Amino acid sequence: MSKFVKYNSYIIFIVSFLLCTSFVGLYPIYILDEARNAEAAREMLESGNFIVPYFNGQLRTDKPPLHYFFMILGYKLFGVNALGARFFSGIFGALTIMATYSCVKRSADIKQAIICTLVLLSSLFFVQEFHLAVPDPYLIFFVSASLFAFYVFYESNQKRWLWAMYVLIGLGIMTKGPITLVLPGIIIPTFLLFKKHLSLKYLWGLSPFVGLLLILVITVPWYYAVHIRTDGEWTTGFFLDHNISRFGSEKEGHGGLFFITPLYVILGLLPFSVFIVQSFRNAWLERNTNNFVLISFVVSTTTIIFFSISGTKLPNYPMPCYPFVAVMMATYFKKILDESKRTVYTIWSLLFLLFISIVLPIGGFIALTFEMQFFSVRYISLFLLILTVTSLIALHFYKKNSLKKAFISIALGWIFTGISLFGAIYPVLTKRSPVTLASRFLDTDSKVIVYKRFDSAFPINFKRTYEVVDSIVLLDVFLENNPNGYIITNTKKKDDLKRLSKYRLVLEQKALFEDHITRIYSKY
């Protein structure tokens, strides 16, 4: 145990790294967000233009470039592939979990830090986020780490933590924009208000002008350069469309009622989110005696409310608060473990978890049965029975009054399910993706043209860009000049499909987990 205490942070990082990067190169990039981010990084690398991001040769205004830079480094290390695109997402996942562990150990104790770490590592959908080639893994780290840095400064008054906070905020703005400043800008004053320290004198002690200067030094050079290079087009698209418009209105069908965001948090922190109500209640009761619990409560509630009132709602939006929700859960779990206290709320939470653990494999089997492309591999849903078995084991230990063993059983069950998901389920499912099936007869040298729209995974998987046209006449000209060429489309319009029917349909395959069908045509 003494050696663990000495090297604990490094051990936590290594274990987290292994889980957050498990099998990331075993299955291809296939979902829209991953595909567009990974391809933008590839085009940046290929062109040598590290200022202006493009997707399939078109300006991409969705995100700032920091995650592109890390993906490019990944490509340099591992090649232009899924591993290269996803590797540093896993690194930042490990950094997030290590930072959480270190702050909990410093502010509470090592037992609570270990519990908190297990909560995060067993949160299947949280760990999955660090398997994706998207900016969110980086944002989660920068936002959560900046708030941890603020709290350590608040408790210690050591200025280096304050400077660290501002640097982390600046890097977050280079990852996903002003949200990295907006969230701390609401959370910190709210926390100070609870502590009755919200005054001009205290705020002045946070050196806001020096902090702002640090943030500007980190962010302004690239934002100014991309503004000049694109004549303001990137600036307008990013700030107006992808920030203000996303917050004010529903974008791309990702909306919903106020309670959708809390449901995302519960789903994202399963299995232990079945105790989320008790954890929030316990945190509220301890708010006046435990500053660390108080800031965790403020971060969590503020973030959830903020994204609940946002017009656009996505499961990944509230994830920067997950480490702080985990802190509240760990505080609650340590309390009931220390007291060996069995309550009616605990047994009902465990029974609800058992219900979820039974429904998931059944639901997975039914869902795969009704998807014709997955019918022959529906057996892979049986991996989810790990959850059922470990939930039953946890209930057994609970009845034996061994709460610690029950907790560990649940955590290990969900961790091993995650490993099965990344190492077995996804590789099997993605073999049926349009891109994977198309690779049987397409390669980087094939003559290909796109009609109107296509699956975004094609450019990164075939390491090339595609000409996109919206005229059947241009398709005829293309096939006349390239009789062995192919047409790719995922248009949904019946009139378009009727026009394309004069060509030979080579492939028709529904996208995985998305509502479109890729069709590939040839002349003969």
Side-chain angles (χ1 to χ4, degrees), residues 279-484:
S279 300
F280 268 87
R281 179 179 179 276
N282 182 72
W284 178 253
L285 294 175
E286 293 190 17
R287 70 190 185 281
N288 294 324
T289 57
N290 189 327
N291 288 339
F292 192 46
V293 167
L294 173 61
I295 195 168
S296 298
F297 180 86
V298 171
V299 172
S300 302
T301 52
T302 302
T303 304
I304 292 169
I305 291 171
F306 181 86
F307 288 112
S308 293
I309 63 176
S310 171
T312 304
K313 297 176 177 67
L314 283 168
N316 54 292
Y317 281 4
M319 282 189 175
C321 80
Y322 283 15
F324 296 91
V325 180
V327 169
M328 292 189 292
M329 289 181 182
T331 305
Y332 174 72
F333 290 142
K334 182 176 181 295
K335 183 177 180 179
I336 63 173
L337 287 172
D338 288 345
E339 297 174 356
S340 293
K341 188 177 180 181
R342 298 198 300 174
T343 67
V344 66
Y345 304 110
T346 304
I347 188 63
W348 277 110
S349 294
L350 290 174
L351 288 172
F352 182 59
L353 182 61
L354 175 62
F355 171 75
I356 293 171
S357 301
I358 292 172
V359 166
L360 283 176
I362 295 173
F365 186 85
I366 293 172
L368 295 181
T369 299
F370 280 97
E371 283 282 349
M372 290 306 299
Q373 68 200 97
F374 299 137
F375 182 83
S376 62
V377 295
R378 63 193 186 282
Y379 65 87
I380 60 174
S381 60
L382 297 178
F383 278 106
L384 299 177
L385 288 173
I386 296 172
L387 304 177
T388 311
V389 173
T390 51
S391 288
L392 289 170
I393 292 171
L395 276 171
H396 169 75
F397 284 130
Y398 179 79
K399 287 183 178 180
K400 296 290 185 181
N401 205 30
S402 182
L403 300 182
K404 180 180 178 181
K405 290 180 180 179
F407 175 87
I408 293 173
S409 298
I410 294 168
L412 291 178
W414 282 75
I415 288 170
F416 281 116
T417 299
I419 293 171
S420 300
L421 185 72
F422 308 127
I425 297 175
Y426 282 172
V428 170
L429 295 182
T430 53
K431 284 182 180 179
R432 286 148 180 80
S433 72
V435 166
T436 302
L437 295 177
S439 65
R440 296 174 182 176
F441 54 90
L442 293 182
D443 57 38
T444 55
D445 297 321
S446 299
K447 301 297 183 182
V448 178
I449 194 168
V450 172
Y451 180 62
K452 291 196 174 181
R453 45 177 283 178
F454 68 134
D455 190 318
S456 297
F458 274 88
I460 183 60
N461 281 280
F462 289 97
K463 303 179 182 64
R464 57 176 292 185
T465 57
Y466 296 89
E467 180 185 2
V468 181
V469 300
D470 59 4
S471 167
I472 291 291
V473 174
L474 293 177
L475 295 183
D476 289 335
V477 172
F478 170 79
L479 291 178
E480 188 67 30
N481 295 327
N482 303 279
N484 295 319

Side-chain angles (χ1 to χ4, degrees), residues 153-370:
F153 165 74
Y154 176 82
E155 291 291 336
S156 67
N157 204 34
Q158 295 176 349
K159 284 283 189 178
R160 60 194 175 98
W161 293 104
L162 188 63
W163 308 139
M165 179 189 76
Y166 288 123
V167 169
L168 289 164
I169 288 173
L171 292 172
I173 293 172
M174 288 295 291
T175 301
K176 212 169 180 180
I179 188 63
T180 320
L181 180 60
V182 171
L183 282 177
I186 299 172
I187 289 164
I188 291 172
T190 304
F191 171 74
L192 295 175
L193 183 63
F194 268 99
K195 296 303 299 177
K196 299 180 180 178
H197 289 156
L198 186 58
S199 63
L200 288 176
K201 181 180 179 181
Y202 192 91
L203 292 175
W204 184 256
L206 297 178
S207 304
F209 291 106
V210 178
L212 180 61
L213 180 61
L214 273 174
I215 292 171
L216 293 175
V217 167
I218 294 169
T219 59
V220 165
W222 181 83
Y223 276 90
Y224 178 74
V226 76
H227 178 80
I228 296 300
R229 292 274 191 95
T230 62
D231 294 324
E233 186 178 352
W234 189 93
T235 307
T236 302
F238 176 67
F239 285 101
L240 294 185
D241 189 37
H242 292 288
N243 282 272
I244 295 174
S245 181
R246 275 184 178 271
F247 186 81
S249 60
E250 179 181 318
K251 298 285 287 185
E252 299 165 357
H254 300 300
L257 299 175
F258 183 89
F259 61 81
I260 291 295
T261 298
L263 288 179
Y264 283 151
V265 174
I266 292 170
L267 178 66
L269 283 169
L270 282 173
F272 291 111
S273 57
V274 294
F275 298 95
I276 199 167
V277 173
Q278 299 98 305
S279 300
F280 268 87
R281 179 179 179 276
N282 182 72
W284 178 253
L285 294 175
E286 293 190 17
R287 70 190 185 281
N288 294 324
T289 57
N290 189 327
N291 288 339
F292 192 46
V293 167
L294 173 61
I295 195 168
S296 298
F297 180 86
V298 171
V299 172
S300 302
T301 52
T302 302
T303 304
I304 292 169
I305 291 171
F306 181 86
F307 288 112
S308 293
I309 63 176
S310 171
T312 304
K313 297 176 177 67
L314 283 168
N316 54 292
Y317 281 4
M319 282 189 175
C321 80
Y322 283 15
F324 296 91
V325 180
V327 169
M328 292 189 292
M329 289 181 182
T331 305
Y332 174 72
F333 290 142
K334 182 176 181 295
K335 183 177 180 179
I336 63 173
L337 287 172
D338 288 345
E339 297 174 356
S340 293
K341 188 177 180 181
R342 298 198 300 174
T343 67
V344 66
Y345 304 110
T346 304
I347 188 63
W348 277 110
S349 294
L350 290 174
L351 288 172
F352 182 59
L353 182 61
L354 175 62
F355 171 75
I356 293 171
S357 301
I358 292 172
V359 166
L360 283 176
I362 295 173
F365 186 85
I366 293 172
L368 295 181
T369 299
F370 280 97

